[in-house]
Amino acid sequence: MVVAENALAASAGVEILSHGGNAIDAAAATALAVGVTNPASCGIGGGGFMLIYLARTHGFYALDYRERAPMAASATMYVRNGKTDEDLARSGPLAVAVPGEIAGLDAALRRFGTMKFSAVAAPAIRLAEQGFPATPHLVEDIAHTAAQIAADPGLKATYLTPAGAPPKPGDILHEKALGATLRSLGDEPVTRFYHGEIARTLGAWMKAHGGLVTAEDLAQYRPVWRAPLYRAYRGYEVWTMPPPSSGGVVLEILGMLAGAPVSGLGADSPPYLARLIEVLRQGFIDRDQYGDPDFVHVPIDLLLSQRHIDQALQRALHHGTPAHLAPAADHGTSNLLVVDKAGNVVAITTTINTIFGAKMTVASLGLVLNDEMDDFAAGPGVPNVFKLEGAVANEIAPGKRPLSSMSPIIVMRSGHPVLTAGASGGPTIISGVVQVAVNVLDFHLSAGAAVDEPRVHEQAAPDVVFVEAAMPAATRQALAQMGYRLKEVHSLGAVGAITIAPGNLDGAFDPRKGGGAAGL
Ligand code: DON
């Protein structure tokens, strides 16, 4: 079964499974395909995380192919006239970090895949070259960024009509240049992308446009296999990505909930949601200590120790309530999940950060450039696009990876996987993954119901509780009466989930964003 944020991308993964590929092959195919069909969210100009459970060895593997800062980057690179100019990190050439997507997919395929790169890239190439229907979600993203798209020749030619308007849902889009780039990668994608013509073209483009990424930065890029994190959650074991992911924050939040069980309360109940809000707050406060473990010491053992979690829970239970407002909504990033017939599980979250990343392309390559530099702290206390405030552990340094909220999980019970989930939506990834996990594990909802259930989000700063409009009015009222300052939003991120039982896979994509759940 494959769950992805686009139905055709999920079908691409199933096609690979039907050709005998395993979950790693199918995940790579789905990731490449969703980069074609959801170009505003992710693609070969971005990077991500892959969490793998291998049934044969019962082993977990965490692959970090997050972008990294170019070697010419510095902690003060966005300071102009003594003031941090955050816009420089959000769009334009200085926002771009060194892409990791191709290196990551190649590393996973070489270690655990059974098929060659060209075979898993075939469905993506076909979609790019022969065209695919624009989804309502993509059309929305294009309309939302139409002015910036119009300013970039590559984006404009590909994603606006000749009259300069956004396409309509169902209109067929072609990405000929991207298709040709994917085709040119053959079975040596790293050599071709990071050491050959593509690297030279990207380096030359950057130089001409005032960006920092060089061909040498690409040559030096390496994905990293990291030790995954896990922690018990009641009768389960939850596995996730380590830093620079925020998987540890998910584990800490679940740890607090395990100390004050919520099973009897109900997914929409004010007492559960109030407890959730408070533990989310404490989890996000501790997130400030996270960064790239190759550059800073993240005290993960301490943060996930029972003693620390007990103390954080006490703070959560005794916290007085609220303060001020600010919005947080975006549609970049893509999560996908695969379970194959051997029982292997792959959960990928991948991104170019915000909608259409840096809002720039290397047009000849069909490469949409990321704006992942905005995930760094541009300056102490300076909030990024998701209102996450900068902390020292996450300041910019050459070659460093920016802290991410992307936190795919795989949950085990008695030595067998029972659930995998992941999300897109910036910091709402963390709260979304927690809520869907609790909905399945504590409230015993099906994958679909767990994903559909209205969600809340709290990230410590700004101290406001985001709540989906679909949350029952009585629940919202009860939370407001408790003193929470609520900010109603249409949707909070997009979560995908697959529940796994002997002979029964149940997959759900998030109707908030659309997608597909397809099986053999
Ligand atoms: O890695 C991160 O945390 C962000 N770059 C994710 C951005 C995202 O999910 C965009 N929003 N939907």
Side-chain angles (χ1 to χ4, degrees), residues 284-318:
F284 271 94
I285 289 171
D286 282 342
R287 186 180 182 276
D288 273 3
Q289 299 183 52
Y290 282 64
D292 181 345
D294 296 339
F295 284 74
V296 292
H297 172 66
V298 184
I300 203 81
D301 291 343
L302 175 94
L303 290 169
L304 297 184
S305 67
Q306 196 54 50
R307 189 179 143 84
H308 177 83
I309 287 179
D310 288 345
Q311 287 167 349
L313 175 62
Q314 284 315 309
R315 284 198 303 272
L317 294 176
H318 297 112

PDB file of all heavy atoms in Angstrom, residues 284-318:
ATOM      1  N   PHE A 284       7.412  22.196  22.422  1.00  0.00           N
ATOM      2  CA  PHE A 284       7.966  23.244  21.557  1.00  0.00           C
ATOM      3  C   PHE A 284       8.991  24.107  22.288  1.00  0.00           C
ATOM      4  O   PHE A 284       9.936  24.594  21.675  1.00  0.00           O
ATOM      5  CB  PHE A 284       6.846  24.091  20.943  1.00  0.00           C
ATOM      6  CG  PHE A 284       6.351  23.535  19.634  1.00  0.00           C
ATOM      7  CD1 PHE A 284       5.253  22.699  19.592  1.00  0.00           C
ATOM      8  CD2 PHE A 284       7.007  23.818  18.445  1.00  0.00           C
ATOM      9  CE1 PHE A 284       4.798  22.162  18.383  1.00  0.00           C
ATOM     10  CE2 PHE A 284       6.572  23.291  17.233  1.00  0.00           C
ATOM     11  CZ  PHE A 284       5.457  22.457  17.203  1.00  0.00           C
ATOM     12  N   ILE A 285       8.815  24.286  23.592  1.00  0.00           N
ATOM     13  CA  ILE A 285       9.831  25.034  24.355  1.00  0.00           C
ATOM     14  C   ILE A 285      11.157  24.269  24.272  1.00  0.00           C
ATOM     15  O   ILE A 285      12.213  24.833  24.002  1.00  0.00           O
ATOM     16  CB  ILE A 285       9.376  25.239  25.816  1.00  0.00           C
ATOM     17  CG1 ILE A 285       8.231  26.253  25.848  1.00  0.00           C
ATOM     18  CG2 ILE A 285      10.542  25.681  26.698  1.00  0.00           C
ATOM     19  CD1 ILE A 285       7.531  26.387  27.198  1.00  0.00           C
ATOM     20  N   ASP A 286      11.108  22.955  24.419  1.00  0.00           N
ATOM     21  CA  ASP A 286      12.336  22.161  24.374  1.00  0.00           C
ATOM     22  C   ASP A 286      12.902  22.045  22.961  1.00  0.00           C
ATOM     23  O   ASP A 286      14.086  21.748  22.782  1.00  0.00           O
ATOM     24  CB  ASP A 286      12.084  20.772  24.969  1.00  0.00           C
ATOM     25  CG  ASP A 286      12.077  20.822  26.492  1.00  0.00           C
ATOM     26  OD1 ASP A 286      12.596  21.811  27.051  1.00  0.00           O
ATOM     27  OD2 ASP A 286      11.546  19.881  27.120  1.00  0.00           O
ATOM     28  N   ARG A 287      12.046  22.255  21.957  1.00  0.00           N
ATOM     29  CA  ARG A 287      12.530  22.191  20.565  1.00  0.00           C
ATOM     30  C   ARG A 287      13.657  23.191  20.311  1.00  0.00           C
ATOM     31  O   ARG A 287      14.473  23.002  19.417  1.00  0.00           O
ATOM     32  CB  ARG A 287      11.354  22.430  19.608  1.00  0.00           C
ATOM     33  CG  ARG A 287      11.681  22.242  18.124  1.00  0.00           C
ATOM     34  CD  ARG A 287      10.444  22.515  17.289  1.00  0.00           C
ATOM     35  NE  ARG A 287      10.658  22.318  15.856  1.00  0.00           N
ATOM     36  CZ  ARG A 287      11.178  23.238  15.044  1.00  0.00           C
ATOM     37  NH1 ARG A 287      11.543  24.419  15.511  1.00  0.00           N
ATOM     38  NH2 ARG A 287      11.317  22.983  13.752  1.00  0.00           N
ATOM     39  N   ASP A 288      13.711  24.253  21.105  1.00  0.00           N
ATOM     40  CA  ASP A 288      14.775  25.251  20.965  1.00  0.00           C
ATOM     41  C   ASP A 288      16.164  24.649  21.136  1.00  0.00           C
ATOM     42  O   ASP A 288      17.157  25.251  20.756  1.00  0.00           O
ATOM     43  CB  ASP A 288      14.614  26.344  22.040  1.00  0.00           C
ATOM     44  CG  ASP A 288      13.680  27.434  21.570  1.00  0.00           C
ATOM     45  OD1 ASP A 288      13.128  27.304  20.463  1.00  0.00           O
ATOM     46  OD2 ASP A 288      13.518  28.421  22.314  1.00  0.00           O
ATOM     47  N   GLN A 289      16.234  23.490  21.772  1.00  0.00           N
ATOM     48  CA  GLN A 289      17.548  22.873  21.993  1.00  0.00           C
ATOM     49  C   GLN A 289      17.972  21.988  20.825  1.00  0.00           C
ATOM     50  O   GLN A 289      19.037  21.402  20.829  1.00  0.00           O
ATOM     51  CB  GLN A 289      17.520  22.058  23.289  1.00  0.00           C
ATOM     52  CG  GLN A 289      17.226  22.938  24.493  1.00  0.00           C
ATOM     53  CD  GLN A 289      17.267  22.154  25.784  1.00  0.00           C
ATOM     54  OE1 GLN A 289      18.230  21.457  26.059  1.00  0.00           O
ATOM     55  NE2 GLN A 289      16.208  22.262  26.566  1.00  0.00           N
ATOM     56  N   TYR A 290      17.097  21.885  19.820  1.00  0.00           N
ATOM     57  CA  TYR A 290      17.386  21.027  18.672  1.00  0.00           C
ATOM     58  C   TYR A 290      18.118  21.798  17.579  1.00  0.00           C
ATOM     59  O   TYR A 290      17.898  22.991  17.374  1.00  0.00           O
ATOM     60  CB  TYR A 290      16.081  20.466  18.079  1.00  0.00           C
ATOM     61  CG  TYR A 290      15.487  19.325  18.859  1.00  0.00           C
ATOM     62  CD1 TYR A 290      15.029  19.512  20.154  1.00  0.00           C
ATOM     63  CD2 TYR A 290      15.376  18.063  18.302  1.00  0.00           C
ATOM     64  CE1 TYR A 290      14.470  18.463  20.871  1.00  0.00           C
ATOM     65  CE2 TYR A 290      14.814  17.010  19.002  1.00  0.00           C
ATOM     66  CZ  TYR A 290      14.373  17.215  20.289  1.00  0.00           C
ATOM     67  OH  TYR A 290      13.813  16.182  20.985  1.00  0.00           O
ATOM     68  N   GLY A 291      18.955  21.075  16.851  1.00  0.00           N
ATOM     69  CA  GLY A 291      19.663  21.629  15.702  1.00  0.00           C
ATOM     70  C   GLY A 291      20.357  20.479  15.000  1.00  0.00           C
ATOM     71  O   GLY A 291      20.059  19.305  15.264  1.00  0.00           O
ATOM     72  N   ASP A 292      21.301  20.799  14.135  1.00  0.00           N
ATOM     73  CA  ASP A 292      22.055  19.772  13.412  1.00  0.00           C
ATOM     74  C   ASP A 292      23.044  19.119  14.374  1.00  0.00           C
ATOM     75  O   ASP A 292      23.951  19.779  14.878  1.00  0.00           O
ATOM     76  CB  ASP A 292      22.790  20.438  12.236  1.00  0.00           C
ATOM     77  CG  ASP A 292      23.580  19.426  11.400  1.00  0.00           C
ATOM     78  OD1 ASP A 292      23.799  18.287  11.869  1.00  0.00           O
ATOM     79  OD2 ASP A 292      23.975  19.797  10.283  1.00  0.00           O
ATOM     80  N   PRO A 293      22.896  17.810  14.636  1.00  0.00           N
ATOM     81  CA  PRO A 293      23.756  17.146  15.625  1.00  0.00           C
ATOM     82  C   PRO A 293      25.223  17.102  15.202  1.00  0.00           C
ATOM     83  O   PRO A 293      26.099  16.837  16.032  1.00  0.00           O
ATOM     84  CB  PRO A 293      23.175  15.726  15.712  1.00  0.00           C
ATOM     85  CG  PRO A 293      22.476  15.519  14.414  1.00  0.00           C
ATOM     86  CD  PRO A 293      21.966  16.870  13.986  1.00  0.00           C
ATOM     87  N   ASP A 294      25.513  17.367  13.926  1.00  0.00           N
ATOM     88  CA  ASP A 294      26.913  17.415  13.492  1.00  0.00           C
ATOM     89  C   ASP A 294      27.563  18.743  13.882  1.00  0.00           C
ATOM     90  O   ASP A 294      28.772  18.909  13.743  1.00  0.00           O
ATOM     91  CB  ASP A 294      27.014  17.202  11.975  1.00  0.00           C
ATOM     92  CG  ASP A 294      26.526  15.810  11.571  1.00  0.00           C
ATOM     93  OD1 ASP A 294      26.502  14.919  12.446  1.00  0.00           O
ATOM     94  OD2 ASP A 294      26.162  15.619  10.391  1.00  0.00           O
ATOM     95  N   PHE A 295      26.749  19.685  14.353  1.00  0.00           N
ATOM     96  CA  PHE A 295      27.276  21.011  14.711  1.00  0.00           C
ATOM     97  C   PHE A 295      27.042  21.382  16.170  1.00  0.00           C
ATOM     98  O   PHE A 295      27.808  22.140  16.742  1.00  0.00           O
ATOM     99  CB  PHE A 295      26.634  22.090  13.817  1.00  0.00           C
ATOM    100  CG  PHE A 295      27.193  22.111  12.435  1.00  0.00           C
ATOM    101  CD1 PHE A 295      26.868  21.112  11.525  1.00  0.00           C
ATOM    102  CD2 PHE A 295      28.070  23.120  12.043  1.00  0.00           C
ATOM    103  CE1 PHE A 295      27.395  21.112  10.246  1.00  0.00           C
ATOM    104  CE2 PHE A 295      28.603  23.127  10.759  1.00  0.00           C
ATOM    105  CZ  PHE A 295      28.256  22.118   9.863  1.00  0.00           C
ATOM    106  N   VAL A 296      25.929  20.917  16.734  1.00  0.00           N
ATOM    107  CA  VAL A 296      25.617  21.283  18.123  1.00  0.00           C
ATOM    108  C   VAL A 296      25.260  20.014  18.896  1.00  0.00           C
ATOM    109  O   VAL A 296      24.783  19.040  18.326  1.00  0.00           O
ATOM    110  CB  VAL A 296      24.432  22.273  18.217  1.00  0.00           C
ATOM    111  CG1 VAL A 296      24.798  23.623  17.648  1.00  0.00           C
ATOM    112  CG2 VAL A 296      23.177  21.731  17.530  1.00  0.00           C
ATOM    113  N   HIS A 297      25.511  20.063  20.192  1.00  0.00           N
ATOM    114  CA  HIS A 297      25.109  18.926  21.020  1.00  0.00           C
ATOM    115  C   HIS A 297      23.630  19.073  21.351  1.00  0.00           C
ATOM    116  O   HIS A 297      23.234  20.038  22.004  1.00  0.00           O
ATOM    117  CB  HIS A 297      25.948  18.884  22.296  1.00  0.00           C
ATOM    118  CG  HIS A 297      25.438  17.861  23.261  1.00  0.00           C
ATOM    119  ND1 HIS A 297      25.474  16.511  22.996  1.00  0.00           N
ATOM    120  CD2 HIS A 297      24.839  17.988  24.466  1.00  0.00           C
ATOM    121  CE1 HIS A 297      24.928  15.852  23.990  1.00  0.00           C
ATOM    122  NE2 HIS A 297      24.535  16.728  24.907  1.00  0.00           N
ATOM    123  N   VAL A 298      22.816  18.149  20.850  1.00  0.00           N
ATOM    124  CA  VAL A 298      21.394  18.145  21.216  1.00  0.00           C
ATOM    125  C   VAL A 298      21.268  17.133  22.371  1.00  0.00           C
ATOM    126  O   VAL A 298      21.551  15.952  22.174  1.00  0.00           O
ATOM    127  CB  VAL A 298      20.506  17.713  20.022  1.00  0.00           C
ATOM    128  CG1 VAL A 298      19.039  17.807  20.405  1.00  0.00           C
ATOM    129  CG2 VAL A 298      20.806  18.560  18.791  1.00  0.00           C
ATOM    130  N   PRO A 299      20.874  17.581  23.571  1.00  0.00           N
ATOM    131  CA  PRO A 299      20.862  16.668  24.728  1.00  0.00           C
ATOM    132  C   PRO A 299      19.675  15.716  24.682  1.00  0.00           C
ATOM    133  O   PRO A 299      18.798  15.724  25.546  1.00  0.00           O
ATOM    134  CB  PRO A 299      20.769  17.629  25.918  1.00  0.00           C
ATOM    135  CG  PRO A 299      20.085  18.833  25.367  1.00  0.00           C
ATOM    136  CD  PRO A 299      20.428  18.935  23.907  1.00  0.00           C
ATOM    137  N   ILE A 300      19.662  14.877  23.631  1.00  0.00           N
ATOM    138  CA  ILE A 300      18.476  14.072  23.355  1.00  0.00           C
ATOM    139  C   ILE A 300      18.213  13.056  24.467  1.00  0.00           C
ATOM    140  O   ILE A 300      17.057  12.816  24.831  1.00  0.00           O
ATOM    141  CB  ILE A 300      18.598  13.412  21.951  1.00  0.00           C
ATOM    142  CG1 ILE A 300      17.245  13.069  21.396  1.00  0.00           C
ATOM    143  CG2 ILE A 300      19.523  12.231  21.908  1.00  0.00           C
ATOM    144  CD1 ILE A 300      16.539  14.203  20.766  1.00  0.00           C
ATOM    145  N   ASP A 301      19.293  12.475  25.045  1.00  0.00           N
ATOM    146  CA  ASP A 301      19.085  11.491  26.120  1.00  0.00           C
ATOM    147  C   ASP A 301      18.403  12.152  27.309  1.00  0.00           C
ATOM    148  O   ASP A 301      17.505  11.585  27.928  1.00  0.00           O
ATOM    149  CB  ASP A 301      20.417  10.879  26.565  1.00  0.00           C
ATOM    150  CG  ASP A 301      20.984   9.981  25.473  1.00  0.00           C
ATOM    151  OD1 ASP A 301      20.203   9.601  24.571  1.00  0.00           O
ATOM    152  OD2 ASP A 301      22.190   9.692  25.511  1.00  0.00           O
ATOM    153  N   LEU A 302      18.851  13.362  27.595  1.00  0.00           N
ATOM    154  CA  LEU A 302      18.253  14.094  28.715  1.00  0.00           C
ATOM    155  C   LEU A 302      16.791  14.454  28.392  1.00  0.00           C
ATOM    156  O   LEU A 302      15.887  14.232  29.197  1.00  0.00           O
ATOM    157  CB  LEU A 302      19.056  15.375  28.985  1.00  0.00           C
ATOM    158  CG  LEU A 302      18.425  16.246  30.044  1.00  0.00           C
ATOM    159  CD1 LEU A 302      19.041  15.900  31.398  1.00  0.00           C
ATOM    160  CD2 LEU A 302      18.600  17.716  29.738  1.00  0.00           C
ATOM    161  N   LEU A 303      16.577  14.999  27.189  1.00  0.00           N
ATOM    162  CA  LEU A 303      15.228  15.461  26.824  1.00  0.00           C
ATOM    163  C   LEU A 303      14.218  14.315  26.811  1.00  0.00           C
ATOM    164  O   LEU A 303      13.036  14.523  27.061  1.00  0.00           O
ATOM    165  CB  LEU A 303      15.263  16.149  25.450  1.00  0.00           C
ATOM    166  CG  LEU A 303      15.986  17.496  25.418  1.00  0.00           C
ATOM    167  CD1 LEU A 303      16.206  17.964  23.974  1.00  0.00           C
ATOM    168  CD2 LEU A 303      15.200  18.549  26.192  1.00  0.00           C
ATOM    169  N   LEU A 304      14.697  13.115  26.486  1.00  0.00           N
ATOM    170  CA  LEU A 304      13.779  11.976  26.425  1.00  0.00           C
ATOM    171  C   LEU A 304      13.855  11.106  27.685  1.00  0.00           C
ATOM    172  O   LEU A 304      13.249  10.029  27.734  1.00  0.00           O
ATOM    173  CB  LEU A 304      14.047  11.135  25.172  1.00  0.00           C
ATOM    174  CG  LEU A 304      13.800  11.874  23.845  1.00  0.00           C
ATOM    175  CD1 LEU A 304      13.998  10.944  22.664  1.00  0.00           C
ATOM    176  CD2 LEU A 304      12.396  12.480  23.808  1.00  0.00           C
ATOM    177  N   SER A 305      14.589  11.575  28.711  1.00  0.00           N
ATOM    178  CA  SER A 305      14.671  10.801  29.953  1.00  0.00           C
ATOM    179  C   SER A 305      13.345  10.921  30.715  1.00  0.00           C
ATOM    180  O   SER A 305      12.630  11.927  30.605  1.00  0.00           O
ATOM    181  CB  SER A 305      15.814  11.306  30.835  1.00  0.00           C
ATOM    182  OG  SER A 305      15.506  12.608  31.297  1.00  0.00           O
ATOM    183  N   GLN A 306      13.022   9.887  31.476  1.00  0.00           N
ATOM    184  CA  GLN A 306      11.762   9.895  32.215  1.00  0.00           C
ATOM    185  C   GLN A 306      11.709  11.085  33.173  1.00  0.00           C
ATOM    186  O   GLN A 306      10.673  11.736  33.323  1.00  0.00           O
ATOM    187  CB  GLN A 306      11.599   8.572  32.978  1.00  0.00           C
ATOM    188  CG  GLN A 306      10.175   8.324  33.442  1.00  0.00           C
ATOM    189  CD  GLN A 306       9.160   8.405  32.293  1.00  0.00           C
ATOM    190  OE1 GLN A 306       9.344   7.779  31.252  1.00  0.00           O
ATOM    191  NE2 GLN A 306       8.108   9.207  32.469  1.00  0.00           N
ATOM    192  N   ARG A 307      12.853  11.372  33.793  1.00  0.00           N
ATOM    193  CA  ARG A 307      12.906  12.466  34.766  1.00  0.00           C
ATOM    194  C   ARG A 307      12.538  13.802  34.102  1.00  0.00           C
ATOM    195  O   ARG A 307      11.711  14.555  34.602  1.00  0.00           O
ATOM    196  CB  ARG A 307      14.337  12.507  35.322  1.00  0.00           C
ATOM    197  CG  ARG A 307      14.546  13.406  36.467  1.00  0.00           C
ATOM    198  CD  ARG A 307      16.029  13.281  36.890  1.00  0.00           C
ATOM    199  NE  ARG A 307      16.529  14.581  37.301  1.00  0.00           N
ATOM    200  CZ  ARG A 307      16.365  15.076  38.522  1.00  0.00           C
ATOM    201  NH1 ARG A 307      15.746  14.376  39.423  1.00  0.00           N
ATOM    202  NH2 ARG A 307      16.826  16.285  38.826  1.00  0.00           N
ATOM    203  N   HIS A 308      13.150  14.054  32.927  1.00  0.00           N
ATOM    204  CA  HIS A 308      12.871  15.319  32.238  1.00  0.00           C
ATOM    205  C   HIS A 308      11.404  15.380  31.792  1.00  0.00           C
ATOM    206  O   HIS A 308      10.742  16.414  31.930  1.00  0.00           O
ATOM    207  CB  HIS A 308      13.794  15.483  31.023  1.00  0.00           C
ATOM    208  CG  HIS A 308      13.489  16.723  30.247  1.00  0.00           C
ATOM    209  ND1 HIS A 308      13.980  17.955  30.601  1.00  0.00           N
ATOM    210  CD2 HIS A 308      12.683  16.933  29.168  1.00  0.00           C
ATOM    211  CE1 HIS A 308      13.504  18.874  29.775  1.00  0.00           C
ATOM    212  NE2 HIS A 308      12.722  18.280  28.892  1.00  0.00           N
ATOM    213  N   ILE A 309      10.925  14.251  31.276  1.00  0.00           N
ATOM    214  CA  ILE A 309       9.542  14.235  30.776  1.00  0.00           C
ATOM    215  C   ILE A 309       8.566  14.419  31.938  1.00  0.00           C
ATOM    216  O   ILE A 309       7.569  15.151  31.807  1.00  0.00           O
ATOM    217  CB  ILE A 309       9.288  12.952  29.957  1.00  0.00           C
ATOM    218  CG1 ILE A 309      10.026  13.094  28.619  1.00  0.00           C
ATOM    219  CG2 ILE A 309       7.799  12.704  29.741  1.00  0.00           C
ATOM    220  CD1 ILE A 309       9.918  11.933  27.683  1.00  0.00           C
ATOM    221  N   ASP A 310       8.867  13.831  33.086  1.00  0.00           N
ATOM    222  CA  ASP A 310       8.007  14.032  34.267  1.00  0.00           C
ATOM    223  C   ASP A 310       7.971  15.511  34.664  1.00  0.00           C
ATOM    224  O   ASP A 310       6.905  16.059  34.976  1.00  0.00           O
ATOM    225  CB  ASP A 310       8.523  13.208  35.461  1.00  0.00           C
ATOM    226  CG  ASP A 310       8.260  11.713  35.259  1.00  0.00           C
ATOM    227  OD1 ASP A 310       7.450  11.377  34.374  1.00  0.00           O
ATOM    228  OD2 ASP A 310       8.886  10.914  35.980  1.00  0.00           O
ATOM    229  N   GLN A 311       9.158  16.148  34.625  1.00  0.00           N
ATOM    230  CA  GLN A 311       9.207  17.574  34.996  1.00  0.00           C
ATOM    231  C   GLN A 311       8.430  18.424  33.980  1.00  0.00           C
ATOM    232  O   GLN A 311       7.690  19.338  34.351  1.00  0.00           O
ATOM    233  CB  GLN A 311      10.663  18.058  35.054  1.00  0.00           C
ATOM    234  CG  GLN A 311      11.403  17.523  36.264  1.00  0.00           C
ATOM    235  CD  GLN A 311      12.913  17.740  36.157  1.00  0.00           C
ATOM    236  OE1 GLN A 311      13.425  18.109  35.094  1.00  0.00           O
ATOM    237  NE2 GLN A 311      13.608  17.514  37.265  1.00  0.00           N
ATOM    238  N   ALA A 312       8.621  18.086  32.681  1.00  0.00           N
ATOM    239  CA  ALA A 312       7.916  18.847  31.631  1.00  0.00           C
ATOM    240  C   ALA A 312       6.406  18.671  31.801  1.00  0.00           C
ATOM    241  O   ALA A 312       5.627  19.621  31.630  1.00  0.00           O
ATOM    242  CB  ALA A 312       8.381  18.385  30.255  1.00  0.00           C
ATOM    243  N   LEU A 313       5.991  17.461  32.143  1.00  0.00           N
ATOM    244  CA  LEU A 313       4.554  17.203  32.349  1.00  0.00           C
ATOM    245  C   LEU A 313       4.029  18.024  33.534  1.00  0.00           C
ATOM    246  O   LEU A 313       2.932  18.592  33.464  1.00  0.00           O
ATOM    247  CB  LEU A 313       4.310  15.706  32.574  1.00  0.00           C
ATOM    248  CG  LEU A 313       2.863  15.324  32.929  1.00  0.00           C
ATOM    249  CD1 LEU A 313       1.905  15.692  31.797  1.00  0.00           C
ATOM    250  CD2 LEU A 313       2.758  13.814  33.210  1.00  0.00           C
ATOM    251  N   GLN A 314       4.805  18.116  34.580  1.00  0.00           N
ATOM    252  CA  GLN A 314       4.365  18.925  35.727  1.00  0.00           C
ATOM    253  C   GLN A 314       4.193  20.386  35.309  1.00  0.00           C
ATOM    254  O   GLN A 314       3.215  21.039  35.669  1.00  0.00           O
ATOM    255  CB  GLN A 314       5.379  18.826  36.894  1.00  0.00           C
ATOM    256  CG  GLN A 314       5.287  17.506  37.657  1.00  0.00           C
ATOM    257  CD  GLN A 314       3.838  17.106  37.971  1.00  0.00           C
ATOM    258  OE1 GLN A 314       3.056  17.888  38.508  1.00  0.00           O
ATOM    259  NE2 GLN A 314       3.463  15.885  37.606  1.00  0.00           N
ATOM    260  N   ARG A 315       5.148  20.881  34.489  1.00  0.00           N
ATOM    261  CA  ARG A 315       5.009  22.272  33.993  1.00  0.00           C
ATOM    262  C   ARG A 315       3.741  22.383  33.152  1.00  0.00           C
ATOM    263  O   ARG A 315       2.996  23.349  33.254  1.00  0.00           O
ATOM    264  CB  ARG A 315       6.231  22.669  33.163  1.00  0.00           C
ATOM    265  CG  ARG A 315       7.472  22.988  33.991  1.00  0.00           C
ATOM    266  CD  ARG A 315       8.480  23.777  33.159  1.00  0.00           C
ATOM    267  NE  ARG A 315       8.868  23.082  31.943  1.00  0.00           N
ATOM    268  CZ  ARG A 315       9.864  22.206  31.863  1.00  0.00           C
ATOM    269  NH1 ARG A 315      10.572  21.920  32.933  1.00  0.00           N
ATOM    270  NH2 ARG A 315      10.153  21.615  30.724  1.00  0.00           N
ATOM    271  N   ALA A 316       3.492  21.360  32.328  1.00  0.00           N
ATOM    272  CA  ALA A 316       2.315  21.377  31.455  1.00  0.00           C
ATOM    273  C   ALA A 316       1.022  21.404  32.270  1.00  0.00           C
ATOM    274  O   ALA A 316       0.088  22.135  31.948  1.00  0.00           O
ATOM    275  CB  ALA A 316       2.330  20.161  30.532  1.00  0.00           C
ATOM    276  N   LEU A 317       1.002  20.611  33.351  1.00  0.00           N
ATOM    277  CA  LEU A 317      -0.235  20.502  34.130  1.00  0.00           C
ATOM    278  C   LEU A 317      -0.503  21.745  34.964  1.00  0.00           C
ATOM    279  O   LEU A 317      -1.631  21.993  35.367  1.00  0.00           O
ATOM    280  CB  LEU A 317      -0.183  19.261  35.034  1.00  0.00           C
ATOM    281  CG  LEU A 317      -0.161  17.909  34.296  1.00  0.00           C
ATOM    282  CD1 LEU A 317      -0.020  16.755  35.286  1.00  0.00           C
ATOM    283  CD2 LEU A 317      -1.406  17.712  33.441  1.00  0.00           C
ATOM    284  N   HIS A 318       0.560  22.536  35.221  1.00  0.00           N
ATOM    285  CA  HIS A 318       0.378  23.698  36.092  1.00  0.00           C
ATOM    286  C   HIS A 318       0.562  25.023  35.382  1.00  0.00           C
ATOM    287  O   HIS A 318       0.734  26.054  36.007  1.00  0.00           O
ATOM    288  CB  HIS A 318       1.332  23.597  37.294  1.00  0.00           C
ATOM    289  CG  HIS A 318       1.017  22.391  38.125  1.00  0.00           C
ATOM    290  ND1 HIS A 318       1.846  21.310  38.228  1.00  0.00           N
ATOM    291  CD2 HIS A 318      -0.092  22.082  38.839  1.00  0.00           C
ATOM    292  CE1 HIS A 318       1.278  20.385  38.992  1.00  0.00           C
ATOM    293  NE2 HIS A 318       0.102  20.826  39.367  1.00  0.00           N
TER     294      HIS A 318
END
